[in-house]
């Protein structure tokens, strides 16, 4: 479910940011599913950058729960691929591959 409490700059709506960490099975599963659908994103290892970890904490109630996806000002903590695709279809079709977004 999107979290509207943590604003992010509006220019970030031009991409999908995926926050992850090594050893996270949920992260690996989501990455594989997004790859299978051809959904491009910018990936951030929260163990490499404290600012990335802080972003996750803003959307995950102070926790470093990954995977976390941020699209514009919307954050999704441990989302399903279906949830992401539905959100993108309704709000940011341009971020989906043509085969998923339709004409």
């Amino acid at each position: 479910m999107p979290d509207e409490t943590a604003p992010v700059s509006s220019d970030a709506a031009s991409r999908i940011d995926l926050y992850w960490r090594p050893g996270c099975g949920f992260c690996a599963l989501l990455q594989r599913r997004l790859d299978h659908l051809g959904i491009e994103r910018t990936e951030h290892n929260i163990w490499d950058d404290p600012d990335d970890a802080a972003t996750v904490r803003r959307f995950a109630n102070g926790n470093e729960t990954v995977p976390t996806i941020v699209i514009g000002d919307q954050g999704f903590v441990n989302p399903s691929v279906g949830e992401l695709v539905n959100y993108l279809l309704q709000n940011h079709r341009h971020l989906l591959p043509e085969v998923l977004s339709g004409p």
Side-chain angles (χ1 to χ4, degrees):
M1 169 171 268
D3 177 353
E4 298 177 13
T5 61
V8 175
S9 65
S10 61
D11 64 341
S14 64
R15 70 179 196 212
I16 298 167
D17 289 291
L18 177 120
Y19 295 85
W20 68 284
R21 66 167 173 75
C24 171
F26 295 110
C27 299
L29 180 62
L30 182 60
Q31 289 165 315
R32 282 193 307 271
R33 289 181 175 168
L34 293 174
D35 286 344
H36 178 73
L37 293 174
I39 296 175
E40 294 185 20
R41 70 269 179 193
T42 301
E43 295 192 358
H44 308 270
N45 178 344
I46 67 167
W47 287 356
D48 284 346
D49 188 333
D51 291 337
D52 291 339
T55 296
V56 169
R57 288 192 302 273
R58 279 197 313 260
F59 286 100
N61 298 318
N63 299 305
E64 291 184 2
T65 306
V66 289
T68 292
I69 297 270
V70 177
I71 304 165
D73 61 355
Q74 298 296 309
F76 300 84
V77 178
N78 198 17
S80 70
V81 170
E83 180 181 3
L84 288 174
V85 169
N86 286 334
Y87 175 78
L88 291 167
L89 281 169
Q90 293 176 20
N91 299 285
H92 300 288
R93 290 179 96 84
H94 65 284
L95 295 175
L96 288 169
E98 196 171 312
V99 70
L100 293 175
S101 65

